[in-house]
PDB file of all heavy atoms in Angstrom:
ATOM      1  N   ALA A  82     -51.425-106.235 186.994  1.00  0.00           N
ATOM      2  CA  ALA A  82     -49.955-106.211 186.998  1.00  0.00           C
ATOM      3  C   ALA A  82     -49.468-105.370 185.835  1.00  0.00           C
ATOM      4  O   ALA A  82     -50.209-105.107 184.879  1.00  0.00           O
ATOM      5  CB  ALA A  82     -49.411-107.638 186.892  1.00  0.00           C
ATOM      6  N   SER A  83     -48.231-104.945 185.908  1.00  0.00           N
ATOM      7  CA  SER A  83     -47.631-104.193 184.807  1.00  0.00           C
ATOM      8  C   SER A  83     -47.267-105.157 183.692  1.00  0.00           C
ATOM      9  O   SER A  83     -46.681-106.206 183.930  1.00  0.00           O
ATOM     10  CB  SER A  83     -46.355-103.485 185.284  1.00  0.00           C
ATOM     11  OG  SER A  83     -46.698-102.537 186.258  1.00  0.00           O
ATOM     12  N   ALA A  84     -47.617-104.783 182.470  1.00  0.00           N
ATOM     13  CA  ALA A  84     -47.227-105.587 181.318  1.00  0.00           C
ATOM     14  C   ALA A  84     -45.796-105.225 180.947  1.00  0.00           C
ATOM     15  O   ALA A  84     -45.405-104.061 181.007  1.00  0.00           O
ATOM     16  CB  ALA A  84     -48.163-105.330 180.152  1.00  0.00           C
ATOM     17  N   ILE A  85     -45.044-106.222 180.600  1.00  0.00           N
ATOM     18  CA  ILE A  85     -43.650-105.979 180.219  1.00  0.00           C
ATOM     19  C   ILE A  85     -43.585-105.811 178.701  1.00  0.00           C
ATOM     20  O   ILE A  85     -44.113-106.639 177.951  1.00  0.00           O
ATOM     21  CB  ILE A  85     -42.766-107.176 180.615  1.00  0.00           C
ATOM     22  CG1 ILE A  85     -43.004-107.575 182.069  1.00  0.00           C
ATOM     23  CG2 ILE A  85     -41.302-106.860 180.349  1.00  0.00           C
ATOM     24  CD1 ILE A  85     -42.557-106.572 183.085  1.00  0.00           C
ATOM     25  N   GLY A  86     -42.937-104.759 178.246  1.00  0.00           N
ATOM     26  CA  GLY A  86     -42.714-104.561 176.815  1.00  0.00           C
ATOM     27  C   GLY A  86     -43.988-104.287 176.054  1.00  0.00           C
ATOM     28  O   GLY A  86     -44.877-103.597 176.552  1.00  0.00           O
ATOM     29  N   GLY A  87     -44.107-104.811 174.853  1.00  0.00           N
ATOM     30  CA  GLY A  87     -45.284-104.572 174.025  1.00  0.00           C
ATOM     31  C   GLY A  87     -45.102-103.311 173.210  1.00  0.00           C
ATOM     32  O   GLY A  87     -44.145-102.556 173.397  1.00  0.00           O
ATOM     33  N   GLU A  88     -46.049-103.065 172.331  1.00  0.00           N
ATOM     34  CA  GLU A  88     -45.944-101.972 171.376  1.00  0.00           C
ATOM     35  C   GLU A  88     -45.713-100.620 172.054  1.00  0.00           C
ATOM     36  O   GLU A  88     -44.922 -99.806 171.610  1.00  0.00           O
ATOM     37  CB  GLU A  88     -47.223-101.919 170.525  1.00  0.00           C
ATOM     38  CG  GLU A  88     -47.059-101.162 169.228  1.00  0.00           C
ATOM     39  CD  GLU A  88     -48.385-101.096 168.482  1.00  0.00           C
ATOM     40  OE1 GLU A  88     -49.271-101.949 168.743  1.00  0.00           O
ATOM     41  OE2 GLU A  88     -48.542-100.182 167.658  1.00  0.00           O
ATOM     42  N   HIS A  89     -46.467-100.399 173.137  1.00  0.00           N
ATOM     43  CA  HIS A  89     -46.351 -99.110 173.808  1.00  0.00           C
ATOM     44  C   HIS A  89     -45.495 -99.204 175.069  1.00  0.00           C
ATOM     45  O   HIS A  89     -45.569 -98.352 175.947  1.00  0.00           O
ATOM     46  CB  HIS A  89     -47.739 -98.561 174.138  1.00  0.00           C
ATOM     47  CG  HIS A  89     -48.603 -98.436 172.936  1.00  0.00           C
ATOM     48  ND1 HIS A  89     -48.371 -97.492 171.965  1.00  0.00           N
ATOM     49  CD2 HIS A  89     -49.655 -99.176 172.499  1.00  0.00           C
ATOM     50  CE1 HIS A  89     -49.274 -97.631 170.998  1.00  0.00           C
ATOM     51  NE2 HIS A  89     -50.058 -98.653 171.301  1.00  0.00           N
ATOM     52  N   GLY A  90     -44.737-100.298 175.140  1.00  0.00           N
ATOM     53  CA  GLY A  90     -43.795-100.416 176.242  1.00  0.00           C
ATOM     54  C   GLY A  90     -44.442-100.423 177.603  1.00  0.00           C
ATOM     55  O   GLY A  90     -44.183 -99.551 178.413  1.00  0.00           O
ATOM     56  N   GLY A  91     -45.314-101.357 177.850  1.00  0.00           N
ATOM     57  CA  GLY A  91     -45.845-101.466 179.207  1.00  0.00           C
ATOM     58  C   GLY A  91     -47.340-101.552 179.245  1.00  0.00           C
ATOM     59  O   GLY A  91     -47.957-102.351 178.554  1.00  0.00           O
ATOM     60  N   GLY A  92     -47.961-100.730 180.039  1.00  0.00           N
ATOM     61  CA  GLY A  92     -49.389-100.829 180.242  1.00  0.00           C
ATOM     62  C   GLY A  92     -49.693-101.793 181.369  1.00  0.00           C
ATOM     63  O   GLY A  92     -48.792-102.268 182.053  1.00  0.00           O
ATOM     64  N   SER A  93     -50.968-102.090 181.561  1.00  0.00           N
ATOM     65  CA  SER A  93     -51.373-102.952 182.662  1.00  0.00           C
ATOM     66  C   SER A  93     -52.228-104.106 182.150  1.00  0.00           C
ATOM     67  O   SER A  93     -52.980-103.943 181.193  1.00  0.00           O
ATOM     68  CB  SER A  93     -52.179-102.147 183.682  1.00  0.00           C
ATOM     69  OG  SER A  93     -51.365-101.178 184.292  1.00  0.00           O
TER      70      SER A  93
END
Side-chain angles (χ1 to χ4, degrees):
Chain A
S83 296
I85 310 293
E88 199 183 338
H89 303 290
S93 294

